PDB file of all heavy atoms in Angstrom:
ATOM      1  N   LEU A 103     -10.469-124.072  20.074  1.00  0.00           N
ATOM      2  CA  LEU A 103     -11.103-122.907  20.825  1.00  0.00           C
ATOM      3  C   LEU A 103     -11.002-123.013  22.331  1.00  0.00           C
ATOM      4  O   LEU A 103     -10.779-122.086  22.872  1.00  0.00           O
ATOM      5  CB  LEU A 103     -12.421-122.810  20.201  1.00  0.00           C
ATOM      6  CG  LEU A 103     -13.230-121.454  20.869  1.00  0.00           C
ATOM      7  CD1 LEU A 103     -12.490-120.169  20.578  1.00  0.00           C
ATOM      8  CD2 LEU A 103     -14.555-121.394  20.234  1.00  0.00           C
ATOM      9  N   ALA A 104     -11.107-124.176  22.736  1.00  0.00           N
ATOM     10  CA  ALA A 104     -11.043-124.393  24.224  1.00  0.00           C
ATOM     11  C   ALA A 104      -9.624-123.986  24.734  1.00  0.00           C
ATOM     12  O   ALA A 104      -9.631-123.308  25.776  1.00  0.00           O
ATOM     13  CB  ALA A 104     -11.372-125.747  24.629  1.00  0.00           C
ATOM     14  N   ALA A 105      -8.717-124.210  24.169  1.00  0.00           N
ATOM     15  CA  ALA A 105      -7.377-123.945  24.443  1.00  0.00           C
ATOM     16  C   ALA A 105      -7.090-122.509  24.437  1.00  0.00           C
ATOM     17  O   ALA A 105      -6.457-121.930  25.303  1.00  0.00           O
ATOM     18  CB  ALA A 105      -6.255-124.630  23.668  1.00  0.00           C
ATOM     19  N   ALA A 106      -7.624-121.790  23.407  1.00  0.00           N
ATOM     20  CA  ALA A 106      -7.569-120.324  23.317  1.00  0.00           C
ATOM     21  C   ALA A 106      -8.177-119.638  24.376  1.00  0.00           C
ATOM     22  O   ALA A 106      -7.645-118.720  24.996  1.00  0.00           O
ATOM     23  CB  ALA A 106      -8.035-119.980  21.905  1.00  0.00           C
ATOM     24  N   ARG A 107      -9.405-120.071  24.586  1.00  0.00           N
ATOM     25  CA  ARG A 107     -10.270-119.442  25.764  1.00  0.00           C
ATOM     26  C   ARG A 107      -9.392-119.659  27.066  1.00  0.00           C
ATOM     27  O   ARG A 107      -9.463-118.739  27.869  1.00  0.00           O
ATOM     28  CB  ARG A 107     -11.557-120.085  25.860  1.00  0.00           C
ATOM     29  CG  ARG A 107     -12.584-119.510  24.801  1.00  0.00           C
ATOM     30  CD  ARG A 107     -13.971-119.991  25.123  1.00  0.00           C
ATOM     31  NE  ARG A 107     -14.935-119.297  24.430  1.00  0.00           N
ATOM     32  CZ  ARG A 107     -15.881-119.815  23.760  1.00  0.00           C
ATOM     33  NH1 ARG A 107     -16.006-121.107  23.654  1.00  0.00           N
ATOM     34  NH2 ARG A 107     -16.756-118.983  23.166  1.00  0.00           N
ATOM     35  N   ALA A 108      -8.952-120.915  27.217  1.00  0.00           N
ATOM     36  CA  ALA A 108      -8.230-121.174  28.550  1.00  0.00           C
ATOM     37  C   ALA A 108      -7.012-120.268  28.621  1.00  0.00           C
ATOM     38  O   ALA A 108      -6.832-119.803  29.840  1.00  0.00           O
ATOM     39  CB  ALA A 108      -7.898-122.642  28.562  1.00  0.00           C
ATOM     40  N   ALA A 109      -6.293-120.063  27.616  1.00  0.00           N
ATOM     41  CA  ALA A 109      -5.084-119.154  27.663  1.00  0.00           C
ATOM     42  C   ALA A 109      -5.490-117.735  28.198  1.00  0.00           C
ATOM     43  O   ALA A 109      -4.728-117.143  28.915  1.00  0.00           O
ATOM     44  CB  ALA A 109      -4.474-119.000  26.241  1.00  0.00           C
ATOM     45  N   HIS A 110      -6.761-117.277  27.820  1.00  0.00           N
ATOM     46  CA  HIS A 110      -7.205-115.995  28.251  1.00  0.00           C
ATOM     47  C   HIS A 110      -7.832-116.020  29.563  1.00  0.00           C
ATOM     48  O   HIS A 110      -7.680-114.955  30.327  1.00  0.00           O
ATOM     49  CB  HIS A 110      -8.069-115.385  27.169  1.00  0.00           C
ATOM     50  CG  HIS A 110      -7.449-114.935  25.900  1.00  0.00           C
ATOM     51  ND1 HIS A 110      -6.740-113.834  25.906  1.00  0.00           N
ATOM     52  CD2 HIS A 110      -7.213-115.533  24.868  1.00  0.00           C
ATOM     53  CE1 HIS A 110      -6.083-113.649  24.640  1.00  0.00           C
ATOM     54  NE2 HIS A 110      -6.316-114.799  23.948  1.00  0.00           N
ATOM     55  N   ARG A 111      -8.387-117.119  29.966  1.00  0.00           N
ATOM     56  CA  ARG A 111      -8.960-117.085  31.358  1.00  0.00           C
ATOM     57  C   ARG A 111      -7.820-117.138  32.422  1.00  0.00           C
ATOM     58  O   ARG A 111      -7.923-116.483  33.355  1.00  0.00           O
ATOM     59  CB  ARG A 111      -9.760-118.534  31.575  1.00  0.00           C
ATOM     60  CG  ARG A 111     -11.207-118.325  31.112  1.00  0.00           C
ATOM     61  CD  ARG A 111     -12.113-119.421  31.524  1.00  0.00           C
ATOM     62  NE  ARG A 111     -11.622-120.668  30.950  1.00  0.00           N
ATOM     63  CZ  ARG A 111     -12.070-121.257  29.862  1.00  0.00           C
ATOM     64  NH1 ARG A 111     -12.892-120.649  29.180  1.00  0.00           N
ATOM     65  NH2 ARG A 111     -11.556-122.440  29.531  1.00  0.00           N
ATOM     66  N   SER A 112      -6.640-117.770  32.075  1.00  0.00           N
ATOM     67  CA  SER A 112      -5.609-117.854  33.014  1.00  0.00           C
ATOM     68  C   SER A 112      -5.036-116.327  33.203  1.00  0.00           C
ATOM     69  O   SER A 112      -4.564-115.992  34.189  1.00  0.00           O
ATOM     70  CB  SER A 112      -4.617-118.749  32.582  1.00  0.00           C
ATOM     71  OG  SER A 112      -3.980-118.337  31.430  1.00  0.00           O
ATOM     72  N   ALA A 113      -5.099-115.630  32.195  1.00  0.00           N
ATOM     73  CA  ALA A 113      -4.599-114.255  32.185  1.00  0.00           C
ATOM     74  C   ALA A 113      -5.520-113.294  32.749  1.00  0.00           C
ATOM     75  O   ALA A 113      -5.171-112.326  33.368  1.00  0.00           O
ATOM     76  CB  ALA A 113      -4.178-113.732  30.704  1.00  0.00           C
ATOM     77  N   CYS A 114      -6.833-113.541  32.520  1.00  0.00           N
ATOM     78  CA  CYS A 114      -7.904-112.602  32.803  1.00  0.00           C
ATOM     79  C   CYS A 114      -8.838-113.035  33.922  1.00  0.00           C
ATOM     80  O   CYS A 114      -9.721-112.213  34.359  1.00  0.00           O
ATOM     81  CB  CYS A 114      -8.537-112.131  31.571  1.00  0.00           C
ATOM     82  SG  CYS A 114      -7.702-111.517  30.335  1.00  0.00           S
ATOM     83  N   GLY A 115      -8.654-114.285  34.372  1.00  0.00           N
ATOM     84  CA  GLY A 115      -9.734-114.755  35.318  1.00  0.00           C
ATOM     85  C   GLY A 115     -10.878-115.412  34.480  1.00  0.00           C
ATOM     86  O   GLY A 115     -10.998-115.347  33.367  1.00  0.00           O
ATOM     87  N   ASP A 116     -11.868-116.028  35.256  1.00  0.00           N
ATOM     88  CA  ASP A 116     -12.962-116.650  34.570  1.00  0.00           C
ATOM     89  C   ASP A 116     -14.255-115.711  34.322  1.00  0.00           C
ATOM     90  O   ASP A 116     -15.214-116.114  33.674  1.00  0.00           O
ATOM     91  CB  ASP A 116     -13.464-117.721  35.382  1.00  0.00           C
ATOM     92  CG  ASP A 116     -12.406-118.925  35.303  1.00  0.00           C
ATOM     93  OD1 ASP A 116     -11.748-119.073  34.389  1.00  0.00           O
ATOM     94  OD2 ASP A 116     -12.459-119.695  36.307  1.00  0.00           O
ATOM     95  N   GLN A 117     -14.216-114.531  34.893  1.00  0.00           N
ATOM     96  CA  GLN A 117     -15.399-113.711  34.631  1.00  0.00           C
ATOM     97  C   GLN A 117     -15.482-113.062  33.393  1.00  0.00           C
ATOM     98  O   GLN A 117     -14.502-112.572  32.773  1.00  0.00           O
ATOM     99  CB  GLN A 117     -15.481-112.649  35.741  1.00  0.00           C
ATOM    100  CG  GLN A 117     -15.776-113.237  37.013  1.00  0.00           C
ATOM    101  CD  GLN A 117     -16.145-112.157  38.125  1.00  0.00           C
ATOM    102  OE1 GLN A 117     -15.966-111.015  37.908  1.00  0.00           O
ATOM    103  NE2 GLN A 117     -16.881-112.510  39.112  1.00  0.00           N
ATOM    104  N   VAL A 118     -16.697-113.083  32.770  1.00  0.00           N
ATOM    105  CA  VAL A 118     -16.884-112.377  31.463  1.00  0.00           C
ATOM    106  C   VAL A 118     -18.085-111.490  31.627  1.00  0.00           C
ATOM    107  O   VAL A 118     -19.136-111.930  32.042  1.00  0.00           O
ATOM    108  CB  VAL A 118     -17.227-113.423  30.297  1.00  0.00           C
ATOM    109  CG1 VAL A 118     -17.653-112.719  29.069  1.00  0.00           C
ATOM    110  CG2 VAL A 118     -16.073-114.369  30.018  1.00  0.00           C
ATOM    111  N   GLU A 119     -17.800-110.290  31.541  1.00  0.00           N
ATOM    112  CA  GLU A 119     -18.789-109.217  31.546  1.00  0.00           C
ATOM    113  C   GLU A 119     -19.556-108.941  30.103  1.00  0.00           C
ATOM    114  O   GLU A 119     -19.003-108.437  29.266  1.00  0.00           O
ATOM    115  CB  GLU A 119     -18.312-107.902  32.029  1.00  0.00           C
ATOM    116  CG  GLU A 119     -17.750-108.006  33.472  1.00  0.00           C
ATOM    117  CD  GLU A 119     -17.260-106.577  33.817  1.00  0.00           C
ATOM    118  OE1 GLU A 119     -17.704-105.561  33.392  1.00  0.00           O
ATOM    119  OE2 GLU A 119     -16.404-106.599  34.713  1.00  0.00           O
ATOM    120  N   GLY A 120     -20.757-109.572  30.129  1.00  0.00           N
ATOM    121  CA  GLY A 120     -21.541-109.270  28.862  1.00  0.00           C
ATOM    122  C   GLY A 120     -21.020-110.200  27.809  1.00  0.00           C
ATOM    123  O   GLY A 120     -19.904-110.391  27.538  1.00  0.00           O
ATOM    124  N   ARG A 121     -22.092-110.673  26.937  1.00  0.00           N
ATOM    125  CA  ARG A 121     -21.824-111.424  25.884  1.00  0.00           C
ATOM    126  C   ARG A 121     -22.674-111.035  24.638  1.00  0.00           C
ATOM    127  O   ARG A 121     -23.943-110.845  24.911  1.00  0.00           O
ATOM    128  CB  ARG A 121     -21.988-112.972  26.142  1.00  0.00           C
ATOM    129  CG  ARG A 121     -21.639-113.753  24.899  1.00  0.00           C
ATOM    130  CD  ARG A 121     -21.799-115.157  25.142  1.00  0.00           C
ATOM    131  NE  ARG A 121     -21.297-115.879  24.028  1.00  0.00           N
ATOM    132  CZ  ARG A 121     -21.528-117.041  23.646  1.00  0.00           C
ATOM    133  NH1 ARG A 121     -22.224-117.761  24.290  1.00  0.00           N
ATOM    134  NH2 ARG A 121     -21.030-117.566  22.440  1.00  0.00           N
ATOM    135  N   HIS A 122     -22.203-110.657  23.561  1.00  0.00           N
ATOM    136  CA  HIS A 122     -22.902-110.223  22.335  1.00  0.00           C
ATOM    137  C   HIS A 122     -22.492-111.017  21.238  1.00  0.00           C
ATOM    138  O   HIS A 122     -21.305-111.404  21.108  1.00  0.00           O
ATOM    139  CB  HIS A 122     -22.801-108.765  22.110  1.00  0.00           C
ATOM    140  CG  HIS A 122     -23.025-107.893  23.330  1.00  0.00           C
ATOM    141  ND1 HIS A 122     -24.297-107.637  23.793  1.00  0.00           N
ATOM    142  CD2 HIS A 122     -22.258-107.322  24.317  1.00  0.00           C
ATOM    143  CE1 HIS A 122     -24.212-106.875  24.845  1.00  0.00           C
ATOM    144  NE2 HIS A 122     -23.020-106.674  25.134  1.00  0.00           N
ATOM    145  N   GLU A 123     -23.472-111.331  20.262  1.00  0.00           N
ATOM    146  CA  GLU A 123     -23.215-112.203  19.189  1.00  0.00           C
ATOM    147  C   GLU A 123     -23.867-111.681  17.880  1.00  0.00           C
ATOM    148  O   GLU A 123     -24.992-111.138  17.873  1.00  0.00           O
ATOM    149  CB  GLU A 123     -23.699-113.535  19.483  1.00  0.00           C
ATOM    150  CG  GLU A 123     -23.373-114.538  18.346  1.00  0.00           C
ATOM    151  CD  GLU A 123     -23.768-116.030  18.800  1.00  0.00           C
ATOM    152  OE1 GLU A 123     -23.121-116.565  19.675  1.00  0.00           O
ATOM    153  OE2 GLU A 123     -24.759-116.442  18.176  1.00  0.00           O
ATOM    154  N   TRP A 124     -23.051-111.716  16.798  1.00  0.00           N
ATOM    155  CA  TRP A 124     -23.621-111.212  15.534  1.00  0.00           C
ATOM    156  C   TRP A 124     -23.127-112.459  14.561  1.00  0.00           C
ATOM    157  O   TRP A 124     -22.110-112.955  14.716  1.00  0.00           O
ATOM    158  CB  TRP A 124     -22.987-110.011  15.056  1.00  0.00           C
ATOM    159  CG  TRP A 124     -23.284-108.872  15.926  1.00  0.00           C
ATOM    160  CD1 TRP A 124     -24.316-107.963  15.848  1.00  0.00           C
ATOM    161  CD2 TRP A 124     -22.573-108.459  17.105  1.00  0.00           C
ATOM    162  NE1 TRP A 124     -24.310-107.098  16.773  1.00  0.00           N
ATOM    163  CE2 TRP A 124     -23.166-107.352  17.695  1.00  0.00           C
ATOM    164  CE3 TRP A 124     -21.363-108.929  17.672  1.00  0.00           C
ATOM    165  CZ2 TRP A 124     -22.684-106.659  18.728  1.00  0.00           C
ATOM    166  CZ3 TRP A 124     -20.816-108.310  18.895  1.00  0.00           C
ATOM    167  CH2 TRP A 124     -21.532-107.122  19.301  1.00  0.00           C
ATOM    168  N   ARG A 125     -23.855-112.668  13.497  1.00  0.00           N
ATOM    169  CA  ARG A 125     -23.636-113.831  12.623  1.00  0.00           C
ATOM    170  C   ARG A 125     -24.206-113.451  11.187  1.00  0.00           C
ATOM    171  O   ARG A 125     -25.060-112.617  11.055  1.00  0.00           O
ATOM    172  CB  ARG A 125     -24.094-115.014  13.081  1.00  0.00           C
ATOM    173  CG  ARG A 125     -25.672-115.148  13.089  1.00  0.00           C
ATOM    174  CD  ARG A 125     -26.228-116.412  13.531  1.00  0.00           C
ATOM    175  NE  ARG A 125     -26.113-116.487  15.027  1.00  0.00           N
ATOM    176  CZ  ARG A 125     -26.232-117.577  15.766  1.00  0.00           C
ATOM    177  NH1 ARG A 125     -26.354-118.781  15.191  1.00  0.00           N
ATOM    178  NH2 ARG A 125     -26.116-117.481  17.066  1.00  0.00           N
ATOM    179  N   THR A 126     -23.593-114.081  10.151  1.00  0.00           N
ATOM    180  CA  THR A 126     -24.217-114.145   8.834  1.00  0.00           C
ATOM    181  C   THR A 126     -25.403-114.785   8.803  1.00  0.00           C
ATOM    182  O   THR A 126     -25.646-115.744   9.650  1.00  0.00           O
ATOM    183  CB  THR A 126     -23.124-114.566   7.784  1.00  0.00           C
ATOM    184  OG1 THR A 126     -22.848-115.972   8.178  1.00  0.00           O
ATOM    185  CG2 THR A 126     -21.945-113.685   7.741  1.00  0.00           C
ATOM    186  N   THR A 127     -26.275-114.598   7.799  1.00  0.00           N
ATOM    187  CA  THR A 127     -27.596-115.255   7.717  1.00  0.00           C
ATOM    188  C   THR A 127     -27.268-116.806   7.432  1.00  0.00           C
ATOM    189  O   THR A 127     -28.047-117.662   7.698  1.00  0.00           O
ATOM    190  CB  THR A 127     -28.449-114.733   6.644  1.00  0.00           C
ATOM    191  OG1 THR A 127     -27.800-114.814   5.376  1.00  0.00           O
ATOM    192  CG2 THR A 127     -28.940-113.371   6.994  1.00  0.00           C
ATOM    193  N   GLY A 128     -26.199-117.219   6.903  1.00  0.00           N
ATOM    194  CA  GLY A 128     -25.880-118.638   6.645  1.00  0.00           C
ATOM    195  C   GLY A 128     -25.367-119.425   7.752  1.00  0.00           C
ATOM    196  O   GLY A 128     -25.220-120.576   7.724  1.00  0.00           O
ATOM    197  N   TRP A 129     -25.057-118.644   8.941  1.00  0.00           N
ATOM    198  CA  TRP A 129     -24.471-119.402  10.075  1.00  0.00           C
ATOM    199  C   TRP A 129     -25.615-120.199  10.738  1.00  0.00           C
ATOM    200  O   TRP A 129     -26.729-119.741  10.897  1.00  0.00           O
ATOM    201  CB  TRP A 129     -23.918-118.440  11.152  1.00  0.00           C
ATOM    202  CG  TRP A 129     -23.155-119.028  12.105  1.00  0.00           C
ATOM    203  CD1 TRP A 129     -23.675-119.608  13.405  1.00  0.00           C
ATOM    204  CD2 TRP A 129     -21.730-119.493  12.058  1.00  0.00           C
ATOM    205  NE1 TRP A 129     -22.572-120.298  14.114  1.00  0.00           N
ATOM    206  CE2 TRP A 129     -21.560-120.330  13.275  1.00  0.00           C
ATOM    207  CE3 TRP A 129     -20.704-119.471  11.144  1.00  0.00           C
ATOM    208  CZ2 TRP A 129     -20.291-120.825  13.613  1.00  0.00           C
ATOM    209  CZ3 TRP A 129     -19.512-120.063  11.493  1.00  0.00           C
ATOM    210  CH2 TRP A 129     -19.226-120.639  12.618  1.00  0.00           C
ATOM    211  N   PRO A 130     -25.450-121.550  11.024  1.00  0.00           N
ATOM    212  CA  PRO A 130     -26.509-122.309  11.553  1.00  0.00           C
ATOM    213  C   PRO A 130     -26.975-121.802  12.883  1.00  0.00           C
ATOM    214  O   PRO A 130     -26.195-121.311  13.757  1.00  0.00           O
ATOM    215  CB  PRO A 130     -25.823-123.742  11.759  1.00  0.00           C
ATOM    216  CG  PRO A 130     -24.466-123.510  11.585  1.00  0.00           C
ATOM    217  CD  PRO A 130     -24.077-122.264  10.894  1.00  0.00           C
ATOM    218  N   ASP A 131     -28.197-121.850  13.098  1.00  0.00           N
ATOM    219  CA  ASP A 131     -28.877-121.557  14.371  1.00  0.00           C
ATOM    220  C   ASP A 131     -28.507-122.662  15.334  1.00  0.00           C
ATOM    221  O   ASP A 131     -28.139-123.678  15.039  1.00  0.00           O
ATOM    222  CB  ASP A 131     -30.307-121.459  14.269  1.00  0.00           C
ATOM    223  CG  ASP A 131     -30.768-120.152  13.515  1.00  0.00           C
ATOM    224  OD1 ASP A 131     -30.082-119.179  13.566  1.00  0.00           O
ATOM    225  OD2 ASP A 131     -31.793-120.234  12.923  1.00  0.00           O
ATOM    226  N   GLY A 132     -28.708-122.438  16.625  1.00  0.00           N
ATOM    227  CA  GLY A 132     -28.477-123.416  17.690  1.00  0.00           C
ATOM    228  C   GLY A 132     -27.238-123.071  18.563  1.00  0.00           C
ATOM    229  O   GLY A 132     -26.817-121.874  18.460  1.00  0.00           O
ATOM    230  N   ASP A 133     -26.947-123.932  19.404  1.00  0.00           N
ATOM    231  CA  ASP A 133     -25.933-123.627  20.347  1.00  0.00           C
ATOM    232  C   ASP A 133     -24.692-123.637  19.887  1.00  0.00           C
ATOM    233  O   ASP A 133     -24.341-124.277  18.764  1.00  0.00           O
ATOM    234  CB  ASP A 133     -25.997-124.639  21.419  1.00  0.00           C
ATOM    235  CG  ASP A 133     -27.197-124.614  22.403  1.00  0.00           C
ATOM    236  OD1 ASP A 133     -27.791-123.450  22.328  1.00  0.00           O
ATOM    237  OD2 ASP A 133     -27.637-125.562  22.969  1.00  0.00           O
ATOM    238  N   GLU A 134     -23.750-122.912  20.419  1.00  0.00           N
ATOM    239  CA  GLU A 134     -22.252-122.928  19.992  1.00  0.00           C
ATOM    240  C   GLU A 134     -21.739-124.348  20.139  1.00  0.00           C
ATOM    241  O   GLU A 134     -22.048-124.968  21.094  1.00  0.00           O
ATOM    242  CB  GLU A 134     -21.539-121.858  20.904  1.00  0.00           C
ATOM    243  CG  GLU A 134     -20.137-121.822  20.602  1.00  0.00           C
ATOM    244  CD  GLU A 134     -19.549-120.655  21.518  1.00  0.00           C
ATOM    245  OE1 GLU A 134     -20.065-120.042  22.291  1.00  0.00           O
ATOM    246  OE2 GLU A 134     -18.263-120.452  21.257  1.00  0.00           O
ATOM    247  N   PRO A 135     -20.773-124.781  19.164  1.00  0.00           N
ATOM    248  CA  PRO A 135     -20.080-125.964  19.335  1.00  0.00           C
ATOM    249  C   PRO A 135     -19.315-126.100  20.597  1.00  0.00           C
ATOM    250  O   PRO A 135     -18.847-125.047  21.096  1.00  0.00           O
ATOM    251  CB  PRO A 135     -19.175-125.964  18.116  1.00  0.00           C
ATOM    252  CG  PRO A 135     -19.659-124.928  17.149  1.00  0.00           C
ATOM    253  CD  PRO A 135     -20.479-123.943  17.962  1.00  0.00           C
TER     254      PRO A 135
END
Side-chain angles (χ1 to χ4, degrees):
L103 183 55
R107 281 187 166 133
H110 287 279
R111 276 194 298 270
S112 64
C114 306
D116 287 333
Q117 290 196 338
V118 173
E119 293 183 25
R121 180 174 187 205
H122 304 283
E123 184 176 290
W124 301 267
R125 65 181 81 199
T126 58
T127 56
W129 190 268
D131 288 330
D133 293 336
E134 177 179 3

